[in-house]
Every structure is written in structure tokens, then in C-alpha cells.
Amino acid sequence: MAALGWLTPRRRSATARSVLAGEASAEAARKSSQEAQHAEDATDADLAVEEPEFPVLGDDKAAAFFDLDNTVMQGASIFHFGRGLYKRKFFETRDLARFAWQQAWFRLAGSEDPEHMQDARDSALSIVKGHRVAELQSIGEEIYDEYMAERIWPGTRALAQAHLDAGQKVWLVTAAPVEIATVIARRLGLTGALGTVAESVDGVYTGKLVGEPLHGPAKAEAVRALAAAEGLDLSRCAAYSDSHNDIPMLSLVGHPYAINPDSKLRKHARKLDWRLRDYRTARRAAKVGIPAAAGVGAVAGGTAAAIALSRRRR
């Protein structure tokens, strides 16, 4: 207080009180900040208990399985592929219109009518019949750049990347042709793809399928077979889809996610307390999910799943 010696007693008293008030205010602010930090730490600890870190880093018994259409990519991949084939004169305008109508029905109806599904399969198979597998694979790379790359949902891609960053394998599981699915998986840096297999003889498509389309319950069977071949623990795995038709696949794993869900899947997911994500409106669902990640992982092999599926079909 020596610095205040020149002040009168009254002024000295007022100044001292100001100093004390300032010091007290600063001390209160410091304590308040510390208490807030303690409270935040406690809240974080509580959240950590309720929502453990996922995916688990280094868990090689876990993997992730992603549906393709409207989960990873906006719209139907086979339709975008058809657009690319039409551009390359694989079929006539009337066939494109018919093909587009079938895809529109599939999306608008929200369910697969057996007659429409059979008609769509027959149309697609007739288009590729007589063409070489290598030719379609090469064209698929071009079509991905032309029509598909810009339709990948960034949010879903980040979810897949989180699994890759944790050291886990990530597979596409789709009713789309395995050639298309494999191209997309490779371009996204995923592990590989399970898809519908079209029959080929000496590298040329015959216009028939090997077994049945990879759809609905068949997806669950394929995931179960792949998990057994890879030595995975399905209770530690995750699956992602937009469609109620994939409930069998989602029900297999310990971490099911509804992504851009249709009304039936949304209702089912809420009933079972599954996690939700809807990227169509940039709206976060109520439950907390996998933290976002950026970029894409290193390219991994894309053929193991197709081999596993082929073995199961025989």
C-alpha cells in the first residue's frame, strides 16, 4: 500500500477498496472458470460412460458393412450405370425410358414388387449379354467419374473412413452388380464389395445370374458367410442402410445404423433404439453416432468378398 501514501485517508480507503474489489472479482472469475471446467470434465466423463468410443481402435474382429443405394450414394447406382451405358450406345432410348421407370417405381413404392424386380433384372441382364466382363469393368470406372462420384454422401463416407482409421475392414453390400460395387469400393478406398453376380463364360456375360440377387435376406446371408471367412465377431461389427429391406442385415450386428432411412426403417430403428443419421436434410438424429472423419483411406483389395460370395453360391 506504500504506493498509495500520497492519497488522503478517504481517497486511500476508496482506492484500496477498488483494488480489493478487483482482486476479489478476478479471483471469483478464476474460481468460476475452474468450476466450469470441472463440470465440463465431469459431463465428458459421463458421456464417455454412456457412449463409449466407437469404432474401437485396433479391433480386428470388427468390420463395417454398408448398403450402397441411398446409403453411400444418392439414388440407384444401377440407374447411373445405365445412363453411362446408354451414352455409349449399349441400348436404345425406349430401353432407357423403361429402365428409368423401373428404378422410379423401386424408389417411390418403397418396396420391391417381385414382378417389377424380375423385369428390372431381365432388362439389365439383356443389356450386358454378349459383352466382355473386362469391357464393363473399364466402362464402370468412367461412369463412376461421370455420374457417381458427385453423388456420394459425405457424411456416410466419413463414417466409413472412421472404421478404416480404426484399422477395420469396410465392405459394400448391395444388390447392384458386383462389378459396379467393386469399382465404387475401390474408388472410395474401402476394402471390397459384395454384390449380385452375373454369370460369365470365357469372360463374356451370358445374360443369367449366379444364384439370386443380393437383396434382403440374401445380404444377411452374405455378411454372415463373409464374417465367418474373415474370423469376425458380428456383435462387434457395424452395418448401415437406408432400407427396411436390410433389417435382416442390420439385425446381425451389434452396431446397426439407419442412414437416410425410409419410414419403415425409421420406425423400426426408433423402436429398437438404433442409431440414426439423415444426410438428406443435413439433420443430425437424436442419438450420437460415430465421430466424423475426413478424407479417404488407402486402397485395399476388392475381390475377397466376391470370392466368398461365389463360394457360397456353389
Side-chain angles (χ1 to χ4, degrees):
M1 301 293 293
L4 302 179
W6 60 274
L7 296 174
T8 65
R10 180 175 295 179
R11 288 182 178 176
R12 184 183 305 151
S13 177
T15 304
R17 287 198 299 269
S18 297
V19 171
L20 290 174
E23 291 177 348
S25 178
E27 179 65 17
R30 188 179 66 83
K31 287 183 178 180
S32 176
S33 176
Q34 290 175 342
E35 289 171 357
Q37 184 62 52
H38 289 315
E40 183 177 344
D41 292 343
T43 300
D44 289 343
D46 291 340
L47 288 175
V49 172
E50 295 176 4
E51 196 71 40
E53 183 178 351
F54 184 80
V56 179
L57 183 65
D59 186 359
D60 59 2
K61 295 297 182 181
F65 304 95
F66 284 79
D67 169 57
L68 176 57
D69 294 348
N70 211 37
T71 301
V72 172
M73 176 187 296
Q74 301 175 43
S77 56
I78 189 67
F79 175 65
H80 299 314
F81 189 64
R83 291 175 63 194
L85 294 182
Y86 170 74
K87 178 181 177 181
R88 291 162 176 80
K89 311 299 183 183
F90 270 65
F91 52 90
E92 303 297 326
T93 303
R94 63 177 181 273
D95 297 316
L96 178 64
R98 178 169 174 242
F99 196 59
W101 163 247
Q102 291 163 348
Q103 295 306 312
W105 172 269
F106 173 79
R107 280 295 162 198
L108 291 174
S111 62
E112 292 76 16
D113 178 87
E115 185 176 345
H116 279 271
M117 291 294 290
Q118 184 64 49
D119 194 25
R121 289 195 296 271
D122 292 344
S123 296
L125 289 169
S126 66
I127 289 170
V128 301
K129 182 179 179 180
H131 289 276
R132 299 196 67 81
V133 175
E135 176 189 12
L136 268 294
Q137 290 173 334
S138 177
I139 290 174
E141 298 281 354
E142 299 172 4
I143 292 175
Y144 176 84
D145 291 325
E146 292 171 0
Y147 298 113
M148 299 179 179
E150 64 182 11
R151 290 177 169 82
I152 301 298
W153 292 107
T156 310
R157 187 173 185 176
L159 294 176
Q161 187 62 40
H163 285 280
L164 294 171
D165 290 343
Q168 297 175 7
K169 294 182 178 180
V170 178
W171 306 89
L172 290 182
V173 187
T174 174
V178 68
E179 291 83 3
I180 299 175
T182 300
V183 167
I184 296 171
R186 182 169 61 251
R187 297 297 287 272
L188 294 179
L190 309 184
T191 307
L194 287 158
T196 298
V197 179
E199 181 184 76
S200 63
V201 175
D202 297 328
V204 177
Y205 289 112
T206 65
K208 300 178 181 179
L209 289 182
V210 177
E212 60 186 10
L214 198 65
H215 175 75
K219 282 189 179 182
E221 293 179 22
V223 167
R224 186 182 288 110
L226 181 60
E230 294 278 321
L232 301 174
D233 180 349
L234 284 171
S235 69
R236 291 149 69 175
C237 293
Y240 303 78
S241 178
D242 72 300
S243 174
H244 69 279
N245 296 298
D246 288 337
I247 288 176
M249 177 180 74
L250 295 170
S251 300
L252 273 183
V253 301
H255 302 276
Y257 284 76
I259 305 294
N260 306 323
D262 61 31
S263 58
K264 291 183 180 179
L265 177 58
R266 183 180 293 275
K267 181 178 180 180
H268 187 85
R270 284 175 172 167
K271 180 180 179 181
L272 298 183
D273 202 31
W274 289 356
R275 293 174 179 178
L276 298 168
R277 280 289 182 275
D278 198 329
Y279 301 117
R280 293 168 296 190
T281 59
R283 171 166 52 90
R284 286 176 62 93
K287 288 190 67 65
V288 178
I290 292 177
V296 293
V299 175
T303 59
I307 294 172
L309 177 61
S310 177
R311 289 173 177 169
R312 186 176 68 84
R313 298 294 187 195
R314 289 201 291 265

